[in-house]
Structures are given as C-alpha cells and as structure tokens.
Amino acid sequence: MNHPVQINGQPSTNEVSHGNHREKIRINNLHAFYGESHILHGIDMTVNQGELVTLLGRNGSGRSTTLKAIMNMVGERSGQIVINGHETMDMPAHKIAHLGMGFCPEERGIFSSLNVEENLMLPPNVRSDGVSVEEIYDMFPNLYERRTSQGTRLSGGEQQMLALARILRTGANILLLDEITEGLAPVIVQKLGEVLSQLKERGLTILLVEQNFRFAAPIADRHYVMEHGHIVEEVLAHELDAKTELLNTYLGV
Amino acid sequence: MASLFDINLFALFGQLLVGLINGSFYALLSLGLAIIFGLLKIINFAQGAMYMLGAFVALLALKFMGVNYWFALILVPLTVGLVGVLMERFLIRPIANEDHLYSLLLTFGLALIIQGSFTHMFGSSGLSYAVPEALKGGTKLPFMYLPNYRAWIIIVSVIVCAGTWWMIEKTNLGAYLRAGTENPQLMQAFGINVPLIVTLTFGFGVALAGFAGVMAAPVYSVSPDMGSNILIVVFAIVVIGGMGSIGGAIITGLGMGVVEGLTKYFYPEASNTVIFLVMVIVLLLKPAGLFGKEA
C-alpha cells in the first residue's frame, strides 16, 4: 500500500535550506515537574516548519515529558513555549490543539468505549484542511475493514495507525509523536516510515520521540539527544554517520 | 372480580402499575447517578436531596409565583441543574484529585444539610401537589383502571431515559463524554474543554433528579425525607445494573420496580427487601453488575 497523502490546501514548501524557516515550536529554558520530581532541567529547542525532528534518548530521559509539557499535560512548568508564534505557557490545555497541534501519546490512547470509526472521528478539527476520512481509509485499509470494532480490539499496529490517523483528520499540521514504532513488527514500522515521509513531503512539521534512531535516520532533518532532563547533543542529518558512535553511547545501544 | 387460577388480576395489575411508576423514578434517579459516576467516578449521595429539592421547588414555585406544572417541568430541572453546576464547580472540583471517598462524604454531608434545612423550614410531614388539570381522570382497561397521570409518568420517564441514552451512546457529544471518562488528559490535548464538560454533565445528572422530583410531586407526598428514602433503593439498583452503565441503570430501574411490584402481590412481606436480595445475588454471581463490564 503506498497511497500518496493528500492534504488539501496545504502549501507544499519545497525549500530545503536552513535559516529562514518559520519556527513552529520554540522552547526556551523549559523546566517541568511531576509533583516533587524535577523532570526537565531547562530545555532549549526549535522545530521549524516542514522539519522532522527527533528526540532521542533512553527511557526516563525526559523525551515524553517534553512532548507533554508542550501540550500542557504535566503538573508544573516554567520557561517559554512558543507555538506558531503564540506564547502558550498561560494557555489552558484544551486551547493548545487549536494552534494546529496533533498529539499521539506513547500509550496510543485508543478509547475502549468507542469503536474504530468513533475513535477516528473523536478529536475536533483544529484546522480546516484535514485529511478526509476516505483518504485515511485509503492510507490504512485495515482501519476501514475494522471500523465497527471496539478500538482496543485492534492489533498494536492498527491501534498505532488509528492514533496517527485521527490527528491527521483534524487538520493538525504540527505533530508530536511519541514512540510510534515501539513494539511493532518490522513490516508495520516500515509502513509508518512511509507514512511519515509522505507527511513530511506535504509540509507537515513533526517532532518525533524515538528510541530507535535507525527508524528515523533516513527521514529526519535533525536529532536532539536527551539525558536526565537535559538536551545533551544536537545532531544534524548529515552529521549522523560521523556521530553514530557518540549516539550509541548516549542511547546505550 | 376477574380472577384466574386464583390470581386476582385487578390486584396484580394494580401492583404491576405501582411497580412501573416506582421503576420510572428508579430509572431516572439511577440514570443520573450512573452518568455522574461514569464521568466523575464519584458517588453522588446528594442525588436524593436533589430529587427532593426538585419536588419542593415545583411546590414553592406554584405557591409563591404561580408557576404551573408544565412550566415547572422545564424550570425545575434548570434550577436544580444550576445547583449541581455550582456544587461541582465550588465543592467537588477542589477535591477532585483526592480519594473519591472524600467526595462521597462531601455529597453525603451536603444531602444531610439540605434535608435538615428543609425539615427545619417545612416540617417532616408531607405536603401535597395537585395533579395538573389536563392529566386528571383515567382510562378503564380490561383488568385495571389506569390513572392518566400515572401513564404520563411512565411514558415521559421512558422518553427522557431513552433520549439521554441516545445522546450519550450515539452522538458526538456522548462520544466526548465517554472518551473524557477514559482519558480526560488526552481529550484536553485534543482540544476539548474537559472541565466544562464535567461541570455540565454533573449539572445534567443532577437535573435529571430534579426532573424526577417534579414528576413525583403529584403522586408521592412532598416531604424532606422523600429523597433519602428512595436513594438507598436507587443505589442498590445502580449496583445491580453495573456502576456507570447508562443502559443498565435504565433497564434495571424499570425492571426492579416491576420486581418490587410483583413481590408486593405474591409475597408482600418481602417487597421492601427484594431489591436488596437481588443486589446480594448479583454481587455474588456477577460483581460488576448485570450490564457492567468486568474489570
């Protein structure tokens, strides 16, 4: 299955050069806390329009917390998060999606009280030009076949596709994806890789938390490496080969 | 008297009707409890007090403002729902992250305060509320006399329950509710104002009790303890149906009313305990309730 992703009206930017891209996400000195625990210790990062950026690191290094902090889903935060030009630190959590954000949580968050189609239709539109339901079923034919099944009866891979599909439907053009390949069979990982590169071609901005940088390496523009709540390294795509050794050390591969 | 195999059909149908009437109120009240429990995971002990409040608001609005029954059907649920909204916003939300035992105790205390104030103001003897003119009289059926107001209670309750069920199970709003129950944080991240939905849903669940109160005013006596009397039975019904199951609450409510009515005919001594007996049996055989999902 290799259907092209059509996002109506999405300006297809073919600029590849660095420098003048519009910043979609800018984070300055972000700290985050869960109760007493201080999880993020002053994160600085940017994600530009149309970029695919990964957050690499071991479990517990603060990558998922970074995504949740952007969505205002953690207890306490300080610092600055600018999304699409809007300062969001004081914004209630339910307003953030409407800046064009789509969040796909690590546990996938498929609702067991809803069937597949209800899950797909659940998140409200955040922009007007989302991927239509027909196109989604074209991209993921399994979801169409199982559209009346209970959401959590799907296989892990199908659930992951559903979690991704439902935020594409909303028109979100900044995607925060947490460990979408975790525990999935290689053939599904490959399919997800194809989907991501199609989304990137269409100009979507993607921040991807990954354990396995080999999955993201061919499609990512930049990688941030996290450890103990800090960003310890930024690796550009073309530096990847030179820094593989270093990455392996950080990731404990 | 029509009798068949030693069964007094008049008496049997009479009890069956009483059972259906009681069942209608059980269904409305347990539906409200199930919605609130399903969404907030709190057990609203003040649901009975809200039912009583509904009956009193109808009575007082008639007495002091001349609001008739038909307007009361709209006005009372709105008023009681507003009380629920304020209750959720200012009393329950501040302790929402604590153990659910706290909110249970809070609503229990609130119920006692409301009931106590009404007893202080109106005494504990019941007051009466006239059946609306248009629903007076009745219809003679082959085996029974069916008062119009009682038929009205059954029909309206079934419509309101079915409408609520449809709204929760079949609409987008209902999908938000169900999903918001499962994972409120993710729903926020999808751009849905979950705290607002929680407040409005609590208000709606409580408004259902207020609505039941207006419906009940012309048939039961309006007294401060009417809510606490019915609430214990309603809790048993919610347990039988399965905590948080919307359809389960409705069907069990009506069904248990009928079971109670039949018991009154066949073995009157057990009619006050039969629902609790069923509850014990259900808890032993299917702890999640007849319509609840096994954890």
Side-chain angles (χ1 to χ4, degrees):
Chain A
M1 286 300 151
N2 200 354
H3 298 277
V5 181
Q6 303 274 323
I7 295 172
N8 305 328
Q10 181 72 37
S12 89
T13 45
N14 289 322
E15 311 166 57
V16 188
S17 66
H18 290 278
N20 278 337
H21 281 197
R22 198 148 80 84
E23 286 174 347
K24 283 296 193 179
I25 302 175
R26 182 160 52 82
I27 298 176
N28 293 327
N29 194 28
L30 174 67
H31 292 258
F33 306 81
Y34 278 119
E36 297 288 300
S37 352
H38 191 170
I39 311 287
L40 300 182
H41 299 263
I43 302 283
D44 294 291
M45 61 183 286
T46 53
V47 183
N48 298 316
Q49 176 158 7
E51 264 193 319
L52 193 156
V53 174
T54 73
L55 285 177
L56 303 174
R58 302 186 202 206
N59 284 332
S61 58
R63 299 164 304 148
S64 294
T65 305
T66 304
L67 296 195
K68 286 184 179 166
I70 296 172
M71 297 307 293
N72 192 1
M73 292 168 79
V74 297
E76 245 184 275
R77 308 174 298 166
S78 71
Q80 192 187 32
I81 301 173
V82 180
I83 300 171
N84 235 345
H86 299 268
E87 173 60 61
T88 64
M89 283 308 270
D90 297 322
M91 223 180 240
H94 66 267
K95 295 248 166 99
I96 293 183
H98 296 281
L99 298 172
M101 305 290 279
F103 175 59
C104 186
E106 184 175 9
E107 68 284 358
R108 297 177 189 134
I110 299 304
F111 294 95
S112 66
S113 54
L114 307 180
N115 69 27
V116 170
E117 190 148 283
E118 286 172 321
N119 264 287
L120 181 61
M121 304 310 289
L122 181 74
N125 289 346
V126 296
R127 292 173 72 257
S128 56
D129 53 2
V131 182
S132 73
V133 177
E134 294 74 41
E135 286 169 288
I136 285 188
Y137 283 146
D138 257 3
M139 279 166 82
F140 305 112
N142 289 15
L143 296 185
Y144 178 75
E145 281 160 30
R146 306 207 54 187
R147 65 192 179 283
T148 57
S149 308
Q150 187 190 349
T152 43
R153 300 253 158 159
L154 297 182
S155 71
E158 289 166 331
Q159 288 192 32
Q160 189 59 67
M161 289 169 189
L162 179 55
L164 193 57
R166 74 180 165 191
I167 54 174
L168 296 178
R169 211 213 83 249
T170 67
N173 59 2
I174 308 171
L175 308 184
L176 306 185
L177 310 179
D178 197 350
E179 297 270 20
I180 58 171
T181 62
E182 196 181 25
L184 298 182
V187 57
I188 297 167
V189 173
Q190 192 191 340
K191 164 81 180 166
L192 287 170
E194 286 164 14
V195 171
L196 285 195
S197 43
Q198 288 166 10
L199 296 176
K200 190 164 140 51
E201 269 167 39
R202 299 304 310 179
L204 268 70
T205 306
I206 301 169
L207 180 56
L208 179 72
V209 164
E210 258 305 324
Q211 183 86 310
N212 163 17
F213 76 87
R214 280 167 227 293
F215 164 70
I219 43 176
D221 299 293
R222 285 185 296 130
H223 309 268
Y224 286 107
V225 183
M226 290 191 71
E227 200 170 64
H228 306 307
H230 299 270
I231 286 180
V232 290
E233 193 76 35
E234 182 184 349
V235 180
L236 302 182
H238 66 84
E239 302 172 330
L240 205 57
D241 286 337
K243 292 194 174 176
T244 301
E245 198 66 24
L246 181 71
L247 279 174
N248 283 343
T249 317
Y250 277 124
L251 303 177
V253 180
Chain B
M1 195 173 282
S3 79
L4 188 69
F5 304 117
D6 249 9
I7 289 175
N8 177 339
L9 287 177
F10 271 110
L12 178 61
F13 276 89
Q15 291 301 348
L16 208 57
L17 178 64
V18 170
L20 274 175
I21 303 284
N22 287 338
S24 301
F25 291 112
Y26 295 158
L28 282 171
L29 288 170
S30 56
L31 174 61
L33 276 182
I35 291 172
I36 291 171
F37 179 81
L39 189 73
L40 302 167
K41 294 283 171 277
I42 73 162
I43 296 173
N44 180 23
F45 253 95
Q47 193 76 350
M50 295 295 139
Y51 164 74
M52 180 270 285
L53 191 64
F56 266 97
V57 171
L59 190 83
L60 298 174
L62 177 66
K63 198 169 165 191
F64 294 110
M65 297 189 293
V67 174
N68 70 23
Y69 175 84
W70 306 104
F71 279 113
L73 275 183
I74 311 284
L75 177 79
V76 171
L78 288 177
T79 311
V80 176
L82 182 67
V83 171
V85 163
L86 296 173
M87 195 171 133
E88 196 282 329
R89 183 66 190 78
F90 296 106
L91 297 174
I92 293 174
R93 189 177 303 176
I95 56 167
N97 293 326
E98 307 293 332
D99 192 290
H100 295 309
L101 191 58
Y102 289 91
S103 50
L104 185 148
L105 289 172
L106 176 92
T107 57
F108 185 56
L110 211 58
L112 292 178
I113 292 169
I114 296 171
Q115 187 180 339
S117 325
F118 274 74
T119 308
H120 177 68
M121 289 185 287
F122 303 98
S124 49
S125 61
L127 304 165
S128 65
Y129 185 99
V131 172
E133 208 54 45
L135 294 172
K136 280 187 175 156
T139 314
K140 191 154 174 18
L141 301 176
F143 293 113
M144 65 188 297
Y145 175 75
L146 177 64
N148 288 342
Y149 189 76
R150 305 205 163 213
W152 162 257
I153 290 177
I154 298 170
I155 293 165
V156 171
S157 303
V158 167
I159 291 172
V160 168
C161 287
T164 304
W165 176 86
W166 180 81
M167 187 184 82
I168 291 174
E169 300 291 339
K170 300 289 166 199
T171 67
N172 243 346
L173 179 68
Y176 287 175
L177 288 180
R178 284 177 286 148
T181 306
E182 257 185 76
N183 192 342
Q185 236 196 355
L186 184 58
M187 290 299 281
Q188 288 273 110
F190 283 159
I192 290 163
N193 189 346
V194 175
L196 180 70
I197 290 193
V198 165
T199 304
L200 292 179
T201 307
F202 189 88
F204 180 78
V206 162
L208 278 175
F211 179 76
V214 196
M215 295 294 288
V219 280
Y220 299 146
S221 98
V222 178
S223 74
D225 60 5
M226 65 189 282
S228 51
N229 290 344
I230 200 170
L231 191 67
I232 301 303
V233 179
V234 170
F235 270 122
I237 285 167
V238 170
V239 172
I240 295 169
M243 293 295 257
S245 161
I246 304 297
I250 299 170
I251 294 168
T252 315
L254 281 168
M256 285 300 116
V258 170
V259 166
E260 200 181 42
L262 291 178
T263 313
K264 259 183 203 145
Y265 178 80
F266 288 106
Y267 190 55
E269 292 81 355
S271 65
N272 288 329
T273 42
V274 63
I275 291 181
F276 299 98
L277 189 68
V278 174
M279 180 182 86
V280 170
I281 295 170
V282 167
L283 280 178
L284 287 173
L285 298 180
K286 198 166 181 295
L290 294 179
F291 299 89
K293 285 195 189 92
E294 302 286 346

Tab-separated table of all heavy atoms in Angstrom, chain B residues 68-87:
chain	number	residue	atom	x	y	z
B	68	ASN	N	-47.054	26.986	36.978
B	68	ASN	CA	-47.804	25.740	36.926
B	68	ASN	C	-46.907	24.544	36.614
B	68	ASN	O	-45.713	24.685	36.346
B	68	ASN	CB	-48.965	25.846	35.932
B	68	ASN	CG	-48.480	25.895	34.492
B	68	ASN	OD1	-47.387	25.448	34.167
B	68	ASN	ND2	-49.311	26.469	33.629
B	69	TYR	N	-47.506	23.359	36.671
B	69	TYR	CA	-46.778	22.106	36.500
B	69	TYR	C	-45.961	22.087	35.208
B	69	TYR	O	-44.809	21.665	35.196
B	69	TYR	CB	-47.788	20.960	36.519
B	69	TYR	CG	-47.200	19.603	36.233
B	69	TYR	CD1	-46.610	18.851	37.236
B	69	TYR	CD2	-47.260	19.064	34.947
B	69	TYR	CE1	-46.077	17.608	36.972
B	69	TYR	CE2	-46.727	17.820	34.678
B	69	TYR	CZ	-46.134	17.088	35.689
B	69	TYR	OH	-45.605	15.872	35.419
B	70	TRP	N	-46.555	22.541	34.118
B	70	TRP	CA	-45.886	22.429	32.819
B	70	TRP	C	-44.632	23.282	32.759
B	70	TRP	O	-43.603	22.850	32.236
B	70	TRP	CB	-46.862	22.787	31.691
B	70	TRP	CG	-48.098	21.957	31.791
B	70	TRP	CD1	-49.325	22.355	32.252
B	70	TRP	CD2	-48.216	20.562	31.501
B	70	TRP	NE1	-50.196	21.306	32.251
B	70	TRP	CE2	-49.559	20.184	31.787
B	70	TRP	CE3	-47.325	19.589	31.024
B	70	TRP	CZ2	-50.011	18.883	31.614
B	70	TRP	CZ3	-47.789	18.296	30.849
B	70	TRP	CH2	-49.117	17.952	31.149
B	71	PHE	N	-44.725	24.512	33.306
B	71	PHE	CA	-43.522	25.343	33.354
B	71	PHE	C	-42.502	24.742	34.320
B	71	PHE	O	-41.296	24.809	34.086
B	71	PHE	CB	-43.871	26.778	33.758
B	71	PHE	CG	-44.388	27.594	32.612
B	71	PHE	CD1	-45.698	28.038	32.576
B	71	PHE	CD2	-43.540	27.894	31.548
B	71	PHE	CE1	-46.168	28.764	31.494
B	71	PHE	CE2	-44.007	28.628	30.464
B	71	PHE	CZ	-45.326	29.064	30.443
B	72	ALA	N	-43.029	24.163	35.410
B	72	ALA	CA	-42.133	23.580	36.407
B	72	ALA	C	-41.298	22.454	35.795
B	72	ALA	O	-40.128	22.267	36.150
B	72	ALA	CB	-42.940	23.053	37.597
B	73	LEU	N	-41.898	21.729	34.843
B	73	LEU	CA	-41.162	20.635	34.199
B	73	LEU	C	-39.882	21.127	33.532
B	73	LEU	O	-38.918	20.383	33.375
B	73	LEU	CB	-42.036	19.946	33.140
B	73	LEU	CG	-42.977	18.849	33.619
B	73	LEU	CD1	-43.704	18.241	32.441
B	73	LEU	CD2	-42.237	17.772	34.394
B	74	ILE	N	-39.898	22.394	33.072
B	74	ILE	CA	-38.707	22.987	32.457
B	74	ILE	C	-37.871	23.721	33.507
B	74	ILE	O	-36.656	23.539	33.595
B	74	ILE	CB	-39.109	24.036	31.379
B	74	ILE	CG1	-40.148	23.466	30.432
B	74	ILE	CG2	-37.882	24.582	30.665
B	74	ILE	CD1	-39.625	22.512	29.413
B	75	LEU	N	-38.567	24.546	34.300
B	75	LEU	CA	-37.884	25.427	35.251
B	75	LEU	C	-37.126	24.653	36.326
B	75	LEU	O	-35.984	24.990	36.657
B	75	LEU	CB	-38.926	26.351	35.905
B	75	LEU	CG	-38.390	27.292	36.973
B	75	LEU	CD1	-37.725	28.483	36.307
B	75	LEU	CD2	-39.502	27.758	37.915
B	76	VAL	N	-37.758	23.613	36.860
B	76	VAL	CA	-37.159	22.909	37.995
B	76	VAL	C	-35.851	22.202	37.612
B	76	VAL	O	-34.842	22.379	38.298
B	76	VAL	CB	-38.178	21.940	38.641
B	76	VAL	CG1	-37.496	21.061	39.674
B	76	VAL	CG2	-39.309	22.734	39.260
B	77	PRO	N	-35.832	21.432	36.514
B	77	PRO	CA	-34.555	20.807	36.168
B	77	PRO	C	-33.465	21.854	35.939
B	77	PRO	O	-32.303	21.636	36.316
B	77	PRO	CB	-34.859	20.054	34.874
B	77	PRO	CG	-36.310	19.788	34.931
B	77	PRO	CD	-36.916	20.968	35.643
B	78	LEU	N	-33.827	23.009	35.353
B	78	LEU	CA	-32.823	24.053	35.143
B	78	LEU	C	-32.296	24.570	36.481
B	78	LEU	O	-31.098	24.734	36.672
B	78	LEU	CB	-33.414	25.208	34.325
B	78	LEU	CG	-33.660	24.916	32.847
B	78	LEU	CD1	-34.314	26.123	32.165
B	78	LEU	CD2	-32.352	24.565	32.140
B	79	THR	N	-33.222	24.815	37.415
B	79	THR	CA	-32.819	25.329	38.731
B	79	THR	C	-31.949	24.316	39.467
B	79	THR	O	-30.869	24.645	39.965
B	79	THR	CB	-34.072	25.613	39.596
B	79	THR	OG1	-34.984	26.367	38.806
B	79	THR	CG2	-33.719	26.374	40.844
B	80	VAL	N	-32.428	23.085	39.515
B	80	VAL	CA	-31.683	22.051	40.234
B	80	VAL	C	-30.352	21.783	39.521
B	80	VAL	O	-29.315	21.591	40.170
B	80	VAL	CB	-32.524	20.766	40.373
B	80	VAL	CG1	-31.719	19.654	41.024
B	80	VAL	CG2	-33.783	21.052	41.194
B	81	GLY	N	-30.381	21.811	38.191
B	81	GLY	CA	-29.144	21.625	37.425
B	81	GLY	C	-28.136	22.710	37.763
B	81	GLY	O	-26.934	22.453	37.887
B	82	LEU	N	-28.623	23.935	37.932
B	82	LEU	CA	-27.740	25.044	38.293
B	82	LEU	C	-27.123	24.809	39.669
B	82	LEU	O	-25.926	25.051	39.880
B	82	LEU	CB	-28.513	26.365	38.272
B	82	LEU	CG	-27.688	27.618	38.590
B	82	LEU	CD1	-26.670	27.873	37.488
B	82	LEU	CD2	-28.590	28.832	38.764
B	83	VAL	N	-27.933	24.311	40.589
B	83	VAL	CA	-27.401	23.960	41.914
B	83	VAL	C	-26.279	22.934	41.746
B	83	VAL	O	-25.212	23.034	42.364
B	83	VAL	CB	-28.523	23.390	42.831
B	83	VAL	CG1	-27.929	22.828	44.122
B	83	VAL	CG2	-29.558	24.461	43.131
B	84	GLY	N	-26.512	21.955	40.859
B	84	GLY	CA	-25.490	20.939	40.593
B	84	GLY	C	-24.226	21.541	40.011
B	84	GLY	O	-23.114	21.181	40.405
B	85	VAL	N	-24.378	22.478	39.072
B	85	VAL	CA	-23.224	23.125	38.452
B	85	VAL	C	-22.397	23.845	39.517
B	85	VAL	O	-21.169	23.711	39.570
B	85	VAL	CB	-23.689	24.109	37.351
B	85	VAL	CG1	-22.586	25.079	36.975
B	85	VAL	CG2	-24.158	23.339	36.124
B	86	LEU	N	-23.083	24.576	40.397
B	86	LEU	CA	-22.372	25.308	41.449
B	86	LEU	C	-21.692	24.339	42.415
B	86	LEU	O	-20.566	24.549	42.860
B	86	LEU	CB	-23.345	26.218	42.213
B	86	LEU	CG	-23.974	27.327	41.376
B	86	LEU	CD1	-25.044	28.076	42.160
B	86	LEU	CD2	-22.912	28.297	40.863
B	87	MET	N	-22.415	23.249	42.700
B	87	MET	CA	-21.885	22.238	43.608
B	87	MET	C	-20.600	21.617	43.044
B	87	MET	O	-19.607	21.452	43.746
B	87	MET	CB	-22.969	21.163	43.729
B	87	MET	CG	-22.830	20.193	44.839
B	87	MET	SD	-24.408	19.267	44.854
B	87	MET	CE	-23.756	17.630	44.959
